[in-house]
Amino acid sequence: MISQWQLRAAFAARLSDMYGREVPAYTTLVDVSREVNEDVLRARGADAERLGSIGRVTAERHGAIRVGTPQELRQVARVFGALGMHPVGFYDLREAAASAVPVISTAFRPVDGEELARNPFRVFTSMLTPADPRFFDADLRSRLEAFLAGRELFPPELLVLADRAEAEQELPDADAERFLELAVAAFELSTEPIDKAWYETLEQVSAVAADIGGVRSTHINHLTPRVLDIDELYRRMTERGIEMIDTIQGPPSWKGPDVLLRQTSFRALAEPRALRTPDGSVINGALRVRFGEVEARGIALTRTGRALYDRLLGLIDQQAAGHPGTDRGELARTVWEQHMPGSEHELAAQGLAYFTYRAAPDRPRDGSRPPTRVADLVEQGWARAEPIVYEDFLPRSAAGIFQSNLSGEGSRNNDLAGTAYDSAWLSGAMGRDVLDPFALYEQQQNRSVAQVARDLGLDGALD
Ligand code: OOG
Ligand code: NI
């Protein structure tokens, strides 16, 4: 029998092999990430593993895929459900991006600490919004919806196996093998000729819309390794002559704790694709949609911490607008140094980040009574705080990654009101609850605090 986490690990590994064959620069990215991680581990020792063991970090990947309809999203949720991955978080990239990115997204991932430690594979999953009149007029919307309704992304056999794996939390070996084959194949780049005129019609609105609704299948858009020093990785990739996007998205590089997520990517590469012209002939074309992204993960922030992060991004925007020509990274670092706490200890004290707490093995054993405030327990050596790693995504960074890889701006009519979507809508459309990432981190923190209370023989609640 193959358990869900084994299916998840095998799926991630096979997808990685396939993507490496399809996009060789991805393999370079993985190699350079591994080198950087080994160097960081050598230089920093145990400290390098504070946000995840080197085993986890080396195997860690996130993928990105894009689907067209709620029905396709429901189906892909069944495939990921088989792998023990649940939808977490709602991202509205239509609002986060200045150019035309007509999608809403969630991320499928394991939610349980043990499952994350076994294999943290996650997939950023976006769904097209043909109903949003800012991007699609009534005629284009109906043609697009008809096109999407006529395609099948996931064969019924795959979905039947997926449902079994989800219900039974495992599959017999032969079924597991078949499931993996079909699941990986569903995300392979198709060789079927693309209707050139239709693709270009959508491309005028948005390159993302064309990538999703201009073809009869889906494909993995990128697969992202995790690196322990993203600035160093950026330098090494550039040295190797690989053209990176202009910036590293997310928090700046600075001397304080890493929070949330920093991401960058190499530019989308032209890939040969067969195109069918209006006269019916098939020609060799090239499309630039797939890229290679890399990320460094930091500490998960609480709602208050996240509000601070968002406020600081706004401040950096303001300053950048006021000082054109100044390096944004420099501005960001200065803002960070002024406003972001410079240590994990302060992040915890101000309730800005999440930690797991553990009774300290070398706690006082002189019969004295421990204090009842978590902060005092840590301060006085009764408990230790370990940061909880951020497992999710950032809408602005995601929009930045999308946009920096688009060929054109596309078009959007901001005079019209957009169609409203939110997490509840997405849950309904998918028939599965979209989980709140903050609630998940908080639960993990609270459970660890309750365990500390038990271990220290404190029966009352800690504060
Ligand atoms: C998704 C872009 C966002 C991330 O890591 O933030 C993303 C896409 O290009 O489909 O992958
Ligand atoms: Ni990504």
mmCIF file of all heavy atoms in Angstrom, residues 62 64 66 124 221-222 263 291 293 393 398 402, ligand 1:
data_model
loop_
_atom_site.group_PDB
_atom_site.id
_atom_site.type_symbol
_atom_site.label_atom_id
_atom_site.label_comp_id
_atom_site.label_asym_id
_atom_site.label_seq_id
_atom_site.Cartn_x
_atom_site.Cartn_y
_atom_site.Cartn_z
ATOM 1 N N HIS A 62 7.295 24.108 -4.768
ATOM 2 C CA HIS A 62 5.888 24.399 -5.035
ATOM 3 C C HIS A 62 5.701 24.490 -6.530
ATOM 4 O O HIS A 62 6.615 24.856 -7.261
ATOM 5 C CB HIS A 62 5.388 25.643 -4.288
ATOM 6 C CG HIS A 62 5.578 26.951 -5.007
ATOM 7 N ND1 HIS A 62 6.419 27.930 -4.531
ATOM 8 C CD2 HIS A 62 5.043 27.455 -6.152
ATOM 9 C CE1 HIS A 62 6.394 28.957 -5.351
ATOM 10 N NE2 HIS A 62 5.570 28.708 -6.352
ATOM 11 N N ALA A 64 2.958 25.680 -9.830
ATOM 12 C CA ALA A 64 1.869 26.599 -10.132
ATOM 13 C C ALA A 64 1.128 26.052 -11.345
ATOM 14 O O ALA A 64 1.757 25.656 -12.324
ATOM 15 C CB ALA A 64 2.388 27.998 -10.427
ATOM 16 N N ARG A 66 -2.798 26.516 -13.658
ATOM 17 C CA ARG A 66 -3.879 27.453 -13.973
ATOM 18 C C ARG A 66 -5.004 26.690 -14.650
ATOM 19 O O ARG A 66 -4.749 25.956 -15.603
ATOM 20 C CB ARG A 66 -3.343 28.519 -14.921
ATOM 21 C CG ARG A 66 -2.103 29.232 -14.381
ATOM 22 C CD ARG A 66 -1.336 29.921 -15.478
ATOM 23 N NE ARG A 66 -0.241 30.739 -14.954
ATOM 24 C CZ ARG A 66 0.544 31.492 -15.716
ATOM 25 N NH1 ARG A 66 0.374 31.529 -17.025
ATOM 26 N NH2 ARG A 66 1.509 32.209 -15.171
ATOM 27 N N PHE A 124 0.283 26.358 -6.130
ATOM 28 C CA PHE A 124 -0.470 27.604 -6.290
ATOM 29 C C PHE A 124 -1.385 27.405 -7.495
ATOM 30 O O PHE A 124 -0.916 27.138 -8.603
ATOM 31 C CB PHE A 124 0.502 28.756 -6.534
ATOM 32 C CG PHE A 124 -0.136 30.108 -6.431
ATOM 33 C CD1 PHE A 124 -0.204 30.760 -5.209
ATOM 34 C CD2 PHE A 124 -0.661 30.739 -7.552
ATOM 35 C CE1 PHE A 124 -0.795 32.026 -5.108
ATOM 36 C CE2 PHE A 124 -1.257 31.995 -7.445
ATOM 37 C CZ PHE A 124 -1.322 32.638 -6.220
ATOM 38 N N ASN A 221 3.037 25.375 -14.754
ATOM 39 C CA ASN A 221 3.617 26.640 -15.225
ATOM 40 C C ASN A 221 5.030 26.847 -14.697
ATOM 41 O O ASN A 221 5.896 27.350 -15.388
ATOM 42 C CB ASN A 221 2.740 27.825 -14.819
ATOM 43 C CG ASN A 221 3.388 29.140 -15.191
ATOM 44 O OD1 ASN A 221 4.158 29.710 -14.417
ATOM 45 N ND2 ASN A 221 3.124 29.606 -16.397
ATOM 46 N N HIS A 222 5.266 26.503 -13.465
ATOM 47 C CA HIS A 222 6.629 26.503 -12.938
ATOM 48 C C HIS A 222 6.680 25.604 -11.722
ATOM 49 O O HIS A 222 5.648 25.239 -11.153
ATOM 50 C CB HIS A 222 7.122 27.914 -12.606
ATOM 51 C CG HIS A 222 6.311 28.643 -11.579
ATOM 52 N ND1 HIS A 222 5.321 29.535 -11.910
ATOM 53 C CD2 HIS A 222 6.343 28.625 -10.223
ATOM 54 C CE1 HIS A 222 4.790 30.042 -10.809
ATOM 55 N NE2 HIS A 222 5.386 29.500 -9.766
ATOM 56 N N GLN A 263 10.766 35.817 -3.217
ATOM 57 C CA GLN A 263 10.729 35.026 -4.449
ATOM 58 C C GLN A 263 11.330 35.787 -5.619
ATOM 59 O O GLN A 263 11.222 37.005 -5.697
ATOM 60 C CB GLN A 263 9.277 34.714 -4.839
ATOM 61 C CG GLN A 263 8.501 33.936 -3.813
ATOM 62 C CD GLN A 263 7.070 33.717 -4.252
ATOM 63 O OE1 GLN A 263 6.375 34.674 -4.592
ATOM 64 N NE2 GLN A 263 6.626 32.486 -4.258
ATOM 65 N N PHE A 291 8.296 29.664 -16.722
ATOM 66 C CA PHE A 291 9.516 30.251 -16.181
ATOM 67 C C PHE A 291 10.001 29.422 -14.999
ATOM 68 O O PHE A 291 9.429 28.389 -14.662
ATOM 69 C CB PHE A 291 9.297 31.710 -15.809
ATOM 70 C CG PHE A 291 8.100 31.983 -14.935
ATOM 71 C CD1 PHE A 291 8.198 31.913 -13.560
ATOM 72 C CD2 PHE A 291 6.875 32.326 -15.507
ATOM 73 C CE1 PHE A 291 7.100 32.180 -12.762
ATOM 74 C CE2 PHE A 291 5.770 32.602 -14.701
ATOM 75 C CZ PHE A 291 5.890 32.519 -13.338
ATOM 76 N N GLU A 293 11.071 29.677 -10.998
ATOM 77 C CA GLU A 293 11.007 30.551 -9.830
ATOM 78 C C GLU A 293 11.759 29.875 -8.692
ATOM 79 O O GLU A 293 11.907 28.658 -8.662
ATOM 80 C CB GLU A 293 9.529 30.737 -9.486
ATOM 81 C CG GLU A 293 9.236 31.674 -8.352
ATOM 82 C CD GLU A 293 7.792 31.528 -7.896
ATOM 83 O OE1 GLU A 293 7.313 30.379 -7.775
ATOM 84 O OE2 GLU A 293 7.156 32.542 -7.652
ATOM 85 N N PHE A 393 1.511 31.974 0.431
ATOM 86 C CA PHE A 393 1.988 32.841 -0.646
ATOM 87 C C PHE A 393 1.626 34.289 -0.338
ATOM 88 O O PHE A 393 0.927 34.561 0.634
ATOM 89 C CB PHE A 393 1.368 32.391 -1.972
ATOM 90 C CG PHE A 393 1.849 31.038 -2.408
ATOM 91 C CD1 PHE A 393 1.224 29.876 -1.969
ATOM 92 C CD2 PHE A 393 2.971 30.916 -3.211
ATOM 93 C CE1 PHE A 393 1.699 28.624 -2.338
ATOM 94 C CE2 PHE A 393 3.452 29.672 -3.594
ATOM 95 C CZ PHE A 393 2.806 28.531 -3.164
ATOM 96 N N ALA A 398 3.023 37.344 -5.874
ATOM 97 C CA ALA A 398 2.502 36.476 -6.936
ATOM 98 C C ALA A 398 2.185 37.316 -8.161
ATOM 99 O O ALA A 398 2.544 36.967 -9.288
ATOM 100 C CB ALA A 398 1.267 35.732 -6.445
ATOM 101 N N PHE A 402 3.822 37.017 -11.840
ATOM 102 C CA PHE A 402 2.984 36.898 -13.040
ATOM 103 C C PHE A 402 3.374 37.995 -14.042
ATOM 104 O O PHE A 402 3.677 37.727 -15.187
ATOM 105 C CB PHE A 402 1.505 37.125 -12.683
ATOM 106 C CG PHE A 402 0.657 35.882 -12.561
ATOM 107 C CD1 PHE A 402 0.139 35.493 -11.337
ATOM 108 C CD2 PHE A 402 0.331 35.129 -13.674
ATOM 109 C CE1 PHE A 402 -0.669 34.371 -11.209
ATOM 110 C CE2 PHE A 402 -0.480 34.010 -13.564
ATOM 111 C CZ PHE A 402 -0.977 33.632 -12.328
HETATM 112 C C1 OOG B 1 1.376 31.768 -10.347
HETATM 113 C C2 OOG B 1 2.206 32.943 -9.931
HETATM 114 C C3 OOG B 1 2.321 33.044 -8.420
HETATM 115 C C4 OOG B 1 3.911 32.383 -6.563
HETATM 116 O O1 OOG B 1 4.790 31.604 -6.170
HETATM 117 O O2 OOG B 1 3.619 33.412 -5.940
HETATM 118 C C5 OOG B 1 3.235 32.061 -7.826
HETATM 119 C C6 OOG B 1 1.389 31.512 -11.817
HETATM 120 O O3 OOG B 1 2.245 32.048 -12.527
HETATM 121 O O4 OOG B 1 0.540 30.722 -12.259
HETATM 122 O O5 OOG B 1 3.506 31.007 -8.302
#
